[in-house]
Amino acid sequence: MSTPEQSSSQNLTSEIKTIAVLGAGTMGHGIAQVAAAAGYGVILRDISEEVLRAGIRAVELNLAKGVERGKVTEEERDRTILRIYGVTSLKETRGAELFIEAVPERLELKRQMLREVEAVAAGPFVFATNTSSLSITEIAAEAAHPERVVGMHFFNPVHLMRLLEIVVGEQTSDATVEVAREVGRRMRKEPITVRDVPGFASSRLGVAIGLEAMRMVEEGVASAKDIDTAMELGYNHPMGPLRLTDLVGLDVRLHIADYLHGKLGTERFRPPEILRRMVEEGKLGNETDDISTSGTLFHLNQRVSRGDQLYLRAHRPDGSPIEVTARVVRIAPAIYGTARVGVSILEPADNWLRLFVSWVADEQGSSTPEGEQS
């Protein structure tokens, strides 16, 4: 005989037929792809028709590459694409049972998204946030049903990375956690469940290792190269913590470390002086020595070439929106699936920006394009 909680969990899980993904950027369209591939009906919503079209096109390209590699059949490709319905109006998502938001990392924006979903939803629903750092409890603070709010932290690129971090807020019910876990398994992800604490599990571990590696460089324990080699060969990490910090951006790592240090109050996350000094000197990563940056990050899921013109829509770290037209002027080698490219802003006039372009390394090529220097 099942308990009321078990029955609620079973009912919630069996009711998930349609998933609304809010935001068609890199994470959003990636989530839409794996949800559709898992057999769910997917409503992919973005306020921008251009971003929406680009997101759906990225899914099509991902699936085409899967067919070329023999990972996806043509029938699976066609079925997946047909299950994704793109919309710009939130009202058209009203019939979904599960909403997964993938909007920029701003607490108030995510709270607003939840309020808007509550206003249009046709029936009971689970609201999942893809946040990598914000508190689930704080996002759900003003929700009518905070027990149905949960974190589902996917990793980029979503269609390739197996981990799914399920984050449990203070009022998240067991039934809601089970929904997230079952949906994740159906998407062929490996779910882990963590408590709602700053940095969750993945970000907290990654930052702790990176900061300790920096302290070891400060103390003269070993060279940066040897520290990275120790983790790559000794612990089978695909990339050492210092090389990864270069790739992510030292300014980004400093921002996260300051946030975790402030929230947790532990010396473990106090940024080392070497990190703060390098950021102050504009040394933000090995690939950016000759590129001045504004600290704005963009994530794309497409192949790019020098000279390509891109339309970029995102938010700066301070939360202010930015929409620019840019031209690719420099491409660094792809390392473990991610490379940094330099872009020149055409409109509006702005400084150069650093952005990340995510791809599978052997699709873009791991060598530097002709005529460019890394």
Side-chain angles (χ1 to χ4, degrees), residues 141-358:
E142 300 172 7
H145 292 281
E147 74 279 4
R148 292 195 176 190
V149 179
V150 66
M152 291 182 72
H153 179 204
F154 293 83
F155 292 77
N156 184 38
V158 180
H159 66 293
L160 297 177
M161 301 295 280
R162 291 189 59 208
L163 182 62
L164 172 63
E165 193 171 37
I166 297 172
V167 188
V168 184
E170 289 181 4
Q171 298 188 62
T172 306
S173 71
D174 291 345
T176 298
V177 172
E178 185 55 34
V179 168
R181 187 180 291 119
E182 181 57 33
V183 169
R185 290 195 189 107
R186 189 165 156 183
M187 292 178 176
R188 298 184 179 179
K189 302 301 179 187
E190 186 67 37
I192 63 170
T193 305
V194 300
R195 203 161 49 86
D196 184 19
V197 295
F200 309 146
S202 57
S203 298
R204 190 165 167 178
L205 279 170
V207 171
I209 293 171
L211 297 180
E212 186 60 26
M214 294 175 209
R215 294 188 188 98
M216 291 170 67
V217 172
E218 279 185 323
E219 296 166 8
V221 174
S223 69
K225 183 177 184 300
D226 285 348
I227 291 170
D228 277 349
T229 299
M231 297 306 294
E232 291 165 5
L233 301 185
Y235 290 87
N236 206 28
H237 286 204
M239 183 185 299
L242 298 170
R243 184 73 186 101
L244 181 60
T245 296
D246 277 349
L247 197 61
V248 169
L250 275 68
D251 50 342
V252 177
R253 185 53 58 94
L254 175 61
H255 175 76
I256 296 172
D258 277 332
Y259 170 78
L260 291 175
H261 179 247
K263 285 286 187 179
L264 297 172
T266 171
E267 290 300 297
R268 184 186 306 127
F269 294 104
R270 181 186 293 278
E273 284 306 311
I274 189 173
L275 174 60
R276 201 176 294 281
R277 184 175 68 250
M278 290 181 73
V279 171
E280 289 174 354
E281 293 172 355
K283 298 176 180 178
L284 306 180
N286 284 343
E287 310 295 355
T288 62
D289 290 345
D290 61 347
I291 299 179
S292 60
T293 72
S294 69
T296 301
L297 301 182
F298 298 88
H299 294 274
L300 306 174
N301 222 8
Q302 65 189 68
R303 183 186 177 108
V304 297
S305 301
R306 190 171 58 173
D308 283 357
Q309 189 164 306
L310 303 174
Y311 173 78
L312 306 175
R313 173 178 171 270
H315 286 78
R316 297 180 187 274
D318 64 4
S320 61
I322 179 170
E323 297 184 16
V324 299
T325 303
R327 178 177 291 117
V328 177
V329 295
R330 181 175 180 271
I331 304 177
I335 299 175
Y336 190 51
T338 304
R340 182 179 289 118
V341 311
V343 299
S344 176
I345 304 305
L346 306 177
E347 182 185 357
D350 203 336
N351 200 354
W352 284 29
L353 300 166
R354 184 185 69 248
L355 65 95
F356 290 149
V357 178
S358 298

Side-chain angles (χ1 to χ4, degrees), residues 24 44-57 86-89 92 311 313 323:
L44 179 59
R45 186 259 182 171
D46 199 283
I47 58 175
S48 166
E49 289 188 6
E50 188 167 358
V51 172
L52 183 61
R53 285 195 299 269
I56 293 175
R57 179 58 179 155
V87 303
T88 56
S89 170
E92 294 187 68
Y311 173 78
R313 173 178 171 270
E323 297 184 16

